[in-house]
């Protein structure tokens, strides 16, 4: 085992950072993730006709919220709970601490989603909101913003997965798949974790006969979000290693 893998393995088997540091990293990543998710949704909605789409999970959940008449808060919360159950099945046992951590993540995350959505739509007096794209230049700018939003999500996932304090159930799912089934490969794990939102989108399509929030931005997220997460593991806070990893099997000795 190389020295770099030894260092990484230490982080995977235990904690090498303080709780204060962990919480600080978590708060920063939560804000980045929430803002990135909403940025993908809003930029998609501001281009007419809509062809941009949003991040994969976000697109599916937004479609399902329309199908059932829920707001984004309740949609993210309910589907997060269902994903927590799936994670327990994959790990092989139920952990109340882990489930509580998923819930702790979902509540502020879902609330921040609503806050950033209201902000980007101009519901606060400090910002008028993003205008509709009426020129090719604005369309190009919104496409870039959408891709930036996806990169923000991927970077945030990298940070709080490594901190591993509490995780969104979808990112916990990706981490379980990554280290239990795909030998640390972030790309393959991300693609496998997209199976549940794909099923959500199909259900929403059956109910509403509409297929919104999917587009080139969604394709970009599908193709590159996992890869960006893997890059961020090494480029963003590179000394932060995966902490106290538990995927229901012995911690891996390598990361990809």
């Amino acid at each position: 085992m190389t020295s770099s893998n030894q260092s990484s393995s230490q982080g995977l088997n235990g904690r090498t950072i303080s709780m204060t540091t962990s919480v600080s990293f978590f708060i920063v990543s939560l804000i980045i993730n929430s803002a990135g998710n909403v940025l993908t949704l809003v930029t998609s909605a501001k281009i007419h006709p809509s062809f941009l789409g949003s991040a994969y999970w976000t697109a599916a959940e937004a479609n399902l919220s329309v199908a059932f008449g829920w707001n984004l808060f309740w949609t993210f919360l309910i589907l997060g709970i269902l994903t927590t159950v799936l994670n327990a099945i994959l790990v092989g046992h139920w952990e109340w601490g882990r489930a509580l951590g998923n819930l702790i993540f979902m509540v502020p995350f879902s609330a921040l989603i609503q806050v950033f959505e209201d902000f980007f739509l101009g519901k606060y007096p400090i910002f008028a909101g993003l205008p509709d794209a009426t020129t090719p230049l604005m369309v190009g700018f919104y496409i870039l913003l959408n891709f930036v939003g996806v990169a923000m999500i991927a970077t945030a996932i990298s940070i709080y997965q490594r901190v591993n304090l509490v995780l969104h159930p979808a990112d916990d799912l990706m981490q379980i798949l990554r280290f239990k089934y795909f030998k640390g490969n972030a790309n393959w794990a991300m693609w496998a974790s997209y199976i549940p939102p794909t099923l959500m989108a199909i259900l929403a399509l059956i109910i509403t006969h509409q297929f919104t929030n999917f587009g080139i931005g969604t394709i970009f997220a599908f193709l590159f979000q996992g890869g960006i997460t893997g890059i961020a593991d090494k480029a963003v806070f590179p000394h932060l290693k995966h902490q106290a990893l538990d995927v229901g099997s012995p911690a891996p000795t390598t990361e990809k």
Side-chain angles (χ1 to χ4, degrees):
M1 180 186 295
T2 65
S3 59
S4 62
N5 284 339
Q6 288 173 341
S7 173
S8 188
S9 179
Q10 289 171 359
L12 288 165
N13 288 305
R15 291 207 168 271
T16 59
I17 58 177
S18 69
M19 182 57 65
T20 300
T21 302
S22 297
V23 171
S24 299
F25 276 127
F26 172 71
I27 292 174
V28 170
S29 62
L30 187 66
I31 293 172
I32 294 172
N33 195 4
S34 303
N37 268 286
V38 174
L39 199 56
T40 64
L41 280 173
V42 174
T43 52
S44 176
K46 293 297 182 178
I47 296 177
H48 307 287
S50 180
F51 64 85
L52 193 51
S54 57
Y56 204 84
W57 274 88
T58 310
E61 288 169 321
N63 275 273
L64 209 60
S65 72
V66 173
F68 287 101
W70 300 335
N71 64 25
L72 287 179
F73 174 85
W74 286 110
T75 304
F76 276 67
L77 190 61
I78 292 171
L79 295 178
I81 292 172
L82 295 177
T83 308
T84 297
V85 175
L86 173 61
N87 293 342
I89 293 172
L90 292 175
V91 171
H93 58 271
W94 178 265
E95 295 179 33
W96 282 107
R98 189 177 202 141
L100 181 60
N102 289 165
L103 182 62
I104 290 172
F105 185 105
M106 284 187 294
V107 173
F109 175 69
S110 300
L112 280 171
I113 286 286
Q114 200 67 55
V115 168
F116 279 113
E117 181 185 38
D118 291 343
F119 174 77
F120 285 121
L121 291 178
K123 295 183 179 181
Y124 297 116
I126 59 174
F127 180 61
L130 293 176
D132 287 346
T134 56
T135 66
L137 183 61
M138 288 182 67
V139 170
F141 177 64
Y142 280 6
I143 291 173
L144 178 62
L145 274 183
N146 189 281
F147 291 176
V148 168
V150 171
M152 289 170 65
I153 296 168
T155 300
I157 290 172
S158 166
I159 297 170
Y160 60 65
Q161 277 190 341
R162 282 178 285 160
V163 171
N164 201 28
L165 192 60
V166 292
L167 296 173
H168 187 280
D171 302 319
D172 199 10
L173 171 63
M174 183 263 194
Q175 181 152 274
I176 292 167
L177 294 169
R178 179 180 180 181
F179 289 106
K180 186 172 184 177
Y181 299 102
F182 295 105
K183 300 180 180 180
N185 190 295
N187 259 325
W188 284 106
M190 185 67 74
W191 289 329
S193 74
Y194 284 154
I195 295 174
T198 299
L199 298 177
M200 294 178 203
I202 292 172
L203 176 60
L205 178 63
I206 292 172
I207 295 172
T208 65
H209 305 290
Q210 297 178 6
F211 201 60
T212 60
N213 292 309
F214 284 85
I216 62 172
T218 316
I219 295 172
F220 178 84
F222 183 87
L223 294 176
F224 299 113
Q225 186 170 308
I228 295 173
T229 296
I231 293 170
D233 283 351
K234 299 176 177 63
V236 180
F237 306 123
H239 297 297
L240 176 62
K241 305 302 179 183
H242 284 88
Q243 306 289 305
L245 190 66
D246 175 18
V247 295
S249 61
T253 57
T254 61
E255 298 177 56
K256 296 180 181 178

